[in-house]
Amino acid sequence: MKLRVATVWLGGCSGCHMSFLDMDEYLIELAGLIDLVYSPVIDVKEFPDQVDVCLIEGAVCNEDNLEILRKIRERTRVLVSFGDCAVTGNVPAMRNPFGDDNRTDVLQRAYIDNTQDNPGVPKADGIVPQLLERVVPVHEAVYVEYFLPGCPPPAARIQEILGQIVTGQTPKLTGPQLKFG
Amino acid sequence: MQLDDLNALVAKHVGARKKIVLRTCMSAGCMSSQADVIKKNLEAEVKAQGLEADVEVRRVGCMGFCGQGPLIGVDGLSAKEKLFEFVKPTDAPAIVGSLKGGACDVQAGNPDHPFFAKQMRIVRANGGIVDPERIEDYLAAGGYQALHQVLTEMQLAGVVEEITKSGLRGRGGAGFLTGLKWGTVAKSAGAKKYVVCNGDEGDPGAFMDRSVLESDPHLVLEGMAIAAYAVGADQGFLYVRAEYPLAIARLQTAIKQAKQLGLLGGGIFESPFNFNVDIRIGAGAFVCGEETALMASVEGKRGTPRPRPPFPAESGLWGCPTLINNVETFANITAIINRGGAWYAGIGTEKSKGTKVFALTGKIRNNGLIEVPMGIPLRQIVEEMGGGAPAGGQIKSVQTGGPSGGCIPAAYLDTPVDYESLTKLGSIMGSGGMVVMDDATNMVEIAKFYMEFCMEESCGKCIPCRTGTAQMFHLLEKITQRRGTARDLAKLEELCDMVRHTSLCGLGQTAPNPVASTLKFFRAEYEALLQPDPHGPRANGSVKTAEAVTP
Amino acid sequence: MAAKTLIIDGKEVSAEEGATVLQVARDNGVKLPTLCHLEGVYDVGACRLCLVEIAGTTKLLPACTTKISEGMRITTDSDRLRKYRRMTIELLFAERNHVCAVCVSNGHCELQTLAYSLGMDHVRYDYIFPKWNVDLTHRMFGMDHNRCILCTRCVRVCWHIEGAGTKNVAGRGATSKIISDLNQPWGDSESCTECGKCVMACPTGALFNKGTTTGEMEHDRDKLEFIVNAREKQQWLP
Ligand SMILES: Cc1cc2nc3c(=O)[nH]c(=O)nc-3n(C[C@H](O)[C@H](O)[C@H](O)COP(=O)(O)O)c2cc1C
Ligand code: SF4
Ligand code: SF4
Ligand code: SF4
Ligand code: FES
Ligand code: FES
């Protein structure tokens, strides 16, 4: 049976997914080895059950991120933190040092101070999720099996770890392949 | 000055003493409850009641029973010493009146109380008896005889030998053999050597050294002078924290007086031996008690530790061989010289000789300073001298060694107080802080308190201590706020091991002790606070979710 | 000077008396991680990454400040040492705000390189996220406290190579901070000679030349080495 693989995009810039697509012809090979059951690049609405591997891009920034992440953890055997935002919090977490009010402050800055037309923080309960007090890396919220750092991780690095996974090896990156940034 | 001149001076001083002495404690503890006003009122009252011919009011140092202070001791009235406790400035007329048989409802203390009776006073022999601001008083109590003996009758090596024979170990915390240290400095080559007295005393709750310096400054100066002679130094530094202004003032007075009488300075007792002492005031950083940081501070640099070796004995102040000892260590020296190393070695246990001063505080009836022979069971200190926990409480644990020490559970109260036994229990003798805790105390909170102290006092030089203590504090906070999981506890234990083994100086190396010892004896209290993670047993921790954001 | 024989990681080597364990290790091709060590200035033994095991003592000792002695048996690599080193690096990343992706030193950073060579794939400790500022008041250089690891290399080169004494450490513990003069904005410093040696010495992106952007800041260690060689050995040509 083919591995059921998912990728998910939380608080990140989608650069990691772009880098994923940069694997070019390996994608075709990969398509023969896995079933991509959930991903921003395919049109599935609900995260499925019984997923073998899920790559998670992005930090945990809002309640929606947290909720889906917990669901993913329940339904997935192996989680891989995919890219620096997932591994370290990275750029999205740069609001954390601004203290307890950082959520209010960033919203104020983005939606009121720096807008010309219709300033105002979008508010729609149940549709626009609330920001968490602090942005955290994925492993601070749920257990994560493997880590794939890089901002974004170069395609070769993604290919390396996926290659290890599909051939049944324990994923392991060493040396410069673990470089952050 | 020769000994004869000195003795004549003493005879004159003693001759001028009056029949009855009202000893007024004027150490920091009692001073904070207006002891200075009490003394003034007593003096005025003595005059008013026409007792000037027979009664003198004497300023003395700490009597030890500080929790009952302000204290007044009365000598010469009856065969037995009388004691007044919790004295107020308005009590002066009644107290003075009582000398003539008048009624007096000021609380009378009991000098036979186990708190006093079980003590053995070597370091604190003069505490509460002599006037710390009058060298004549110290001389009358036999002061500077040991220095005279050393300078006139003993060889350098003989002094070191006597200290070695006594088995005295450093009272600054680590318990290093003092004789061995003196011998090393004496043997170190160098034209210039220094003697340093460590009076930084930064442990929270500790005030042994302050009390010795305030109550009997000459005892420490004499100890330093003897040490200087033995190791071949001619310059000493007394490092005292700025928070001890009274100790500093009394030391300054003491140094001036000793110089006037030729007991410090050039040609002491008209011998070729010179010894000057200067005071250096520390800004109150705990780490400046660590010897290499202290020396950097004396040199005028930022007080941070450096790796040892080289040890100060080989390369200390300005690269010269330097002897550094604790206040209490120096305070033991004259007794050893006067009564012999063998006498001293007869007190205490096989490996821990002599006495130790403790600051007994916490959930206990009788707070104060005690000096006890080494090897005394902890139970005697806590239950008999300290009177046990205040009404309703049950003793749970005794903390020794401050932020570098550990918590000894009540089940081990029969442990003898000596270096090895305390270390075996995961605590240390330390410098003498002893905090009693009752059953209302949460041990995880205690561990957190000490970790916060270490985190804030870390000098910041080395990574494991600077950031390790911050992470450990964070983990403890998470646990006490019921946000921690088993994984956090495991991380805490791993950090304990790492910080202990990789930190540069003793602060970091011992910072994990309070956590490690409470984990050893009170692990259940930690575990009771842990949260099962709602996101499965493999989850790393919990995330604080947001309340609504409304900018 | 007398030669001493000793054993590093099972290999017998000889070295001049007075040498440090680190020098001997490097001379013999033994790799040891270091952060606070910098050729040309005295060692402080602060980062604890170069700790080694030495037979006969239970204490781990820093290779950079420990002098060799005859017959010394040194182990520079063990599971325990590797674990402690990785923890040390993780603690550093959790301590301040390292965001390699947007750092001037990305790709040329000693901390970053050490992290991956020690196998750090993530940081297990909670990030502290303290608030630190960036001092951009100097005409030529910038200082980003978010990326400072307090190795004090800048302080040492400033005092002992340049002799200006501008840089110093203020504060205690995790709030320690590299300052200029008496904790003034760097641009207001009257003692700074604008020599740039601190920038050359910095292992991370904390000190940088103004105008460099992400990944552009390469710290020119060769220049420092040249100056030290010229001064100590009178070698003016590389
Ligand atoms: C963090 C730290 C704080 C210390 N504080 C003191 C102190 O306040 N007083 C003291 O005498 N020794 C203190 N010490 C111990 C000294 O480094 C040194 O061992 C001692 O002064 C030696 O004197 P001794 O041999 O008489 O004990 C401290 C050590 C450390 C690591
Ligand atoms: S262990 Fe702590 S106090 Fe000691 S040098 Fe390191 S940071 Fe400073
Ligand atoms: S200083 Fe180094 S480790 Fe820190 S953010 Fe910059 S590149 Fe990364
Ligand atoms: S600014 Fe750079 S060189 Fe200076 S202490 Fe910080 S990291 Fe080290
Ligand atoms: S301070 Fe007065 S008895 Fe201790
Ligand atoms: S390089 Fe030796 S302790 Fe930093």
Side-chain angles (χ1 to χ4, degrees):
Chain A
M1 222 182 74
K2 289 203 263 182
L3 277 183
R4 288 165 59 76
V5 175
T7 76
V8 61
W9 173 18
L10 306 180
C13 70
S14 92
C16 300
H17 274 86
M18 296 299 143
S19 199
F20 186 92
L21 297 178
D22 273 347
M23 290 194 291
D24 300 338
E25 56 270 36
Y26 181 70
L27 289 173
I28 299 167
E29 193 182 320
L30 194 63
L33 299 169
I34 63 163
D35 277 333
L36 192 63
V37 294
Y38 182 89
S39 171
V41 300
I42 61 169
D43 193 19
V44 175
K45 295 284 183 258
E46 175 69 15
F47 194 87
D49 273 328
Q50 310 231 310
V51 177
D52 293 309
V53 179
C54 180
L55 302 188
I56 301 164
E57 171 189 329
V60 188
C61 302
N62 60 35
E63 295 191 324
D64 189 42
N65 294 159
L66 193 59
E67 197 184 305
I68 179 148
L69 186 59
R70 288 177 177 161
K71 194 184 285 175
I72 293 172
R73 179 69 274 185
E74 277 164 24
R75 300 181 182 178
T76 315
R77 214 158 44 81
V78 170
L79 297 193
V80 181
S81 274
F82 179 30
D84 278 2
C85 295
V87 178
T88 74
N90 206 28
V91 174
M94 285 172 80
R95 71 167 155 98
N96 293 352
F98 293 93
D100 292 341
D101 292 330
N102 72 68
R103 290 173 297 167
T104 331
D105 295 347
V106 291
L107 292 174
Q108 171 79 23
R109 188 67 175 258
Y111 289 98
I112 298 172
D113 297 353
N114 287 347
T115 44
Q116 280 145 6
D117 307 318
N118 304 324
V121 176
K123 200 170 174 320
D125 289 340
I127 299 173
V128 180
Q130 297 287 338
L131 297 184
L132 296 180
E133 233 174 63
R134 262 177 157 223
V135 177
V136 294
V138 172
H139 65 268
E140 260 187 54
V142 297
Y143 184 84
V144 171
E145 274 82 3
Y146 303 109
F147 298 86
L148 171 51
C151 182
R157 210 182 280 182
I158 309 174
Q159 184 173 338
E160 171 84 24
I161 209 165
L162 283 176
Q164 291 167 341
I165 290 175
V166 294
T167 54
Q169 304 167 47
T170 305
K172 188 166 174 57
L173 298 176
T174 53
Q177 285 203 314
L178 285 173
K179 179 180 156 298
F180 290 4
Chain B
M1 188 173 276
Q2 297 281 23
L3 192 60
D4 293 345
D5 306 331
L6 214 56
N7 288 341
L9 191 85
V10 171
K12 196 166 143 231
H13 175 70
V14 173
R17 278 187 180 160
K18 306 198 177 142
K19 208 176 102 219
I20 296 173
V21 185
L22 284 177
R23 287 179 287 111
T24 314
C25 170
M26 297 200 48
S27 223
C30 295
M31 284 291 265
S32 65
S33 307
Q34 295 186 290
D36 48 344
V37 184
I38 295 172
K39 176 161 180 277
K40 228 174 13 209
N41 289 1
L42 284 173
E43 277 162 348
E45 204 53 45
V46 167
K47 210 184 256 173
Q49 299 194 21
L51 291 172
E52 277 168 294
D54 291 330
V55 179
E56 75 174 76
V57 182
R58 186 189 299 166
R59 169 202 309 114
V60 295
C62 175
M63 304 190 200
F65 217 174
C66 314
Q68 313 288 109
L71 291 184
I72 311 269
V74 188
D75 298 335
L77 188 62
S78 53
K80 226 167 74 182
E81 172 194 10
K82 259 187 89 126
L83 203 61
F84 290 108
E85 301 175 341
F86 299 111
V87 177
K88 295 185 295 298
T90 48
D91 291 337
I95 290 175
V96 175
S98 79
L99 304 178
K100 297 186 294 190
C104 174
D105 57 1
V106 179
Q107 180 171 321
N110 172 13
D112 295 329
H113 189 286
F115 185 88
F116 296 110
K118 292 229 168 251
Q119 294 203 36
M120 178 178 217
R121 297 174 40 142
I122 297 173
V123 168
R124 299 205 356 96
N126 295 333
I129 294 169
V130 301
D131 180 343
E133 296 186 23
R134 297 199 64 181
I135 192 170
E136 298 86 349
D137 248 25
Y138 179 70
L139 289 166
Y144 289 105
Q145 299 285 340
L147 180 61
H148 181 263
Q149 187 193 343
V150 161
L151 293 184
T152 52
E153 294 165 27
M154 291 173 83
Q155 302 290 323
L156 304 184
V159 182
V160 175
E161 201 177 300
E162 211 53 42
I163 301 299
T164 308
K165 209 191 289 171
S166 76
L168 175 66
R169 295 168 67 168
R171 300 295 193 239
F176 193 79
L177 282 165
T178 306
L180 193 60
K181 197 187 265 188
W182 287 28
T184 313
V185 182
K187 277 189 227 114
S188 286
K192 183 88 184 165
K193 294 181 189 177
Y194 295 95
V195 167
V196 177
C197 175
N198 188 342
D200 191 56
E201 194 167 54
D203 292 21
F207 54 96
M208 303 75 55
D209 294 348
R210 183 192 73 200
S211 166
V212 171
L213 294 173
E214 281 175 0
S215 309
D216 205 4
H218 287 286
L219 184 69
V220 178
L221 292 176
E222 190 180 357
M224 286 179 74
I226 294 170
Y229 174 74
V231 303
D234 64 357
Q235 174 67 47
F237 289 101
L238 247 159
Y239 192 88
V240 190
R241 53 181 21 226
E243 288 90 333
Y244 289 178
L246 189 59
I248 294 168
R250 289 194 176 150
L251 281 167
Q252 279 164 338
T253 308
I255 291 172
K256 202 161 82 195
Q257 292 173 344
K259 271 194 177 152
Q260 273 164 359
L261 296 186
L263 302 170
L264 280 180
I268 295 173
F269 280 120
E270 294 175 18
S271 77
F273 174 60
N274 308 325
F275 184 56
N276 277 296
V277 178
D278 285 316
I279 297 174
R280 285 290 177 272
I281 299 174
F286 175 56
V287 74
C288 282
E290 195 280 339
E291 55 191 28
T292 59
L294 184 147
M295 291 187 308
S297 177
V298 169
E299 289 179 16
K301 300 183 190 141
R302 179 176 158 86
T304 52
R306 59 154 176 82
R308 299 172 306 175
F311 288 91
E314 309 148 42
S315 173
L317 282 175
W318 296 285
C320 303
T322 302
L323 173 73
I324 176 162
N325 274 131
N326 166 260
V327 168
E328 193 182 330
T329 313
F330 281 125
N332 272 295
I333 302 302
T334 56
I336 293 172
I337 299 296
N338 283 332
R339 305 174 71 170
W343 161 78
Y344 194 86
I347 305 163
T349 67
E350 191 199 334
K351 286 189 175 160
S352 305
K353 302 297 187 192
T355 59
K356 178 77 195 86
V357 182
F358 288 101
L360 188 60
T361 55
K363 297 290 171 57
I364 196 158
R365 276 207 184 84
N366 310 319
N367 285 286
L369 269 195
I370 52 167
E371 182 173 356
V372 288
M374 294 274 192
I376 184 173
L378 203 47
R379 189 181 299 285
Q380 274 188 30
I381 297 183
V382 174
E383 289 180 357
E384 295 176 34
M385 305 177 77
Q394 182 96 39
I395 288 173
K396 178 174 182 178
S397 159
V398 179
Q399 212 280 349
T400 67
S404 314
C407 296
I408 298 165
Y412 292 87
L413 275 184
D414 291 315
T415 306
V417 175
D418 62 57
Y419 288 97
E420 278 71 26
S421 304
L422 294 181
T423 308
K424 221 187 284 164
L425 286 177
S427 189
I428 59 165
M429 174 81 70
S431 55
M434 192 177 273
V435 186
V436 180
M437 295 160 191
D438 69 5
D439 45 9
T441 318
N442 178 318
M443 302 312 277
V444 190
E445 289 288 349
I446 295 294
K448 193 176 87 174
F449 167 81
Y450 284 112
M451 189 54 72
E452 184 170 22
F453 179 84
C454 290
M455 172 179 81
E456 283 173 355
E457 293 297 331
S458 160
C459 80
K461 178 171 180 173
C462 74
I463 303 168
C465 168
R466 182 183 77 229
T467 71
T469 54
Q471 281 292 343
M472 286 194 277
F473 174 72
H474 172 71
L475 287 164
L476 286 163
E477 209 170 37
K478 235 170 136 178
I479 292 171
T480 50
Q481 292 171 358
R482 297 178 182 273
R483 291 190 292 117
T485 62
R487 190 176 290 270
D488 289 315
L489 188 59
K491 272 193 242 176
L492 182 65
E493 292 193 88
E494 193 183 46
L495 278 170
C496 280
D497 169 69
M498 183 262 190
V499 172
R500 169 176 299 143
H501 290 110
T502 59
S503 290
L504 193 161
C505 87
L507 194 157
Q509 288 160 8
T510 59
N513 286 358
V515 177
S517 91
T518 47
L519 265 171
K520 180 169 165 184
F521 294 116
F522 304 96
R523 197 181 180 90
E525 290 189 33
Y526 284 83
E527 283 170 348
L529 293 166
L530 298 185
Q531 298 305 300
D533 204 290
H535 326 301
R538 293 185 304 179
N540 274 347
S542 57
V543 177
K544 275 203 255 174
T545 49
E547 305 98 53
V549 190
T550 38
Chain C
M1 269 205 203
K4 306 265 173 201
T5 22
L6 56 151
I7 296 172
I8 293 196
D9 294 338
K11 192 173 125 196
E12 194 171 296
V13 301
S14 66
E16 291 276 293
E17 182 177 355
T20 64
V21 172
L22 182 64
Q23 283 165 345
V24 179
R26 297 228 157 132
D27 289 348
N28 288 281
V30 175
K31 284 210 178 108
L32 261 175
T34 59
L35 268 180
C36 63
H37 171 80
L38 179 71
E39 287 302 327
V41 283
Y42 65 90
D43 282 300
V44 289
C47 75
R48 318 304 283 169
L49 281 163
C50 71
L51 290 181
V52 294
E53 293 165 1
I54 292 179
T57 160
T58 50
K59 285 211 158 157
L60 303 175
L61 292 171
C64 62
T65 62
T66 304
K67 297 255 192 302
I68 55 158
S69 60
E70 182 64 37
M72 212 178 216
R73 299 172 77 92
I74 303 155
T75 309
T76 69
D77 193 21
S78 67
D79 286 347
R80 178 173 179 228
L81 289 173
R82 236 174 286 149
K83 177 174 139 190
Y84 288 161
R85 285 171 189 155
R86 179 172 161 172
M87 286 172 81
T88 307
I89 297 289
E90 283 183 50
L91 286 171
L92 274 182
F93 272 91
E95 181 181 34
R96 295 201 176 185
N97 307 308
H98 293 269
V99 189
C100 299
V102 292
C103 178
V104 285
S105 277
N106 187 9
H108 314 286
C109 169
E110 289 183 37
L111 176 62
Q112 189 186 40
T113 312
L114 263 180
Y116 69 66
S117 37
L118 291 167
M120 187 187 95
D121 57 359
H122 76 294
V123 173
R124 288 165 300 161
Y125 307 109
D126 292 354
Y127 289 90
I128 306 281
F129 293 117
K131 186 152 170 41
W132 284 104
N133 68 338
V134 183
D135 183 347
L136 291 172
T137 56
H138 195 277
R139 194 168 66 89
M140 297 161 71
F141 316 119
M143 161 97 207
D144 183 352
H145 293 280
N146 292 287
R147 269 123 199 188
C148 173
I149 57 170
L150 297 169
C151 66
T152 69
R153 284 186 188 185
C154 54
V155 177
R156 284 173 283 152
V157 292
C158 183
W159 284 78
H160 297 276
I161 300 187
E162 177 62 4
T166 305
K167 294 279 175 213
N168 226 320
V169 190
R172 282 209 277 258
T175 55
S176 302
K177 178 184 170 196
I178 299 295
I179 54 167
S180 298
D181 287 354
L182 295 170
N183 201 4
Q184 288 145 289
W186 195 357
D188 294 352
S189 165
E190 292 189 4
S191 64
C192 173
T193 62
E194 310 197 326
C195 74
K197 291 192 180 68
C198 56
V199 179
M200 298 174 207
C202 183
T204 70
L207 288 168
F208 53 89
N209 294 330
K210 270 187 163 176
T212 43
T213 184
T214 303
E216 282 185 359
M217 185 60 219
E218 288 188 58
H219 298 276
D220 199 349
R221 225 80 74 206
D222 295 349
K223 223 176 258 167
L224 273 182
E225 219 161 288
F226 168 78
I227 296 166
V228 172
N229 270 337
R231 259 192 8 182
E232 289 178 358
K233 302 181 190 150
Q234 263 76 52
Q235 287 170 3
W236 293 94
L237 296 172

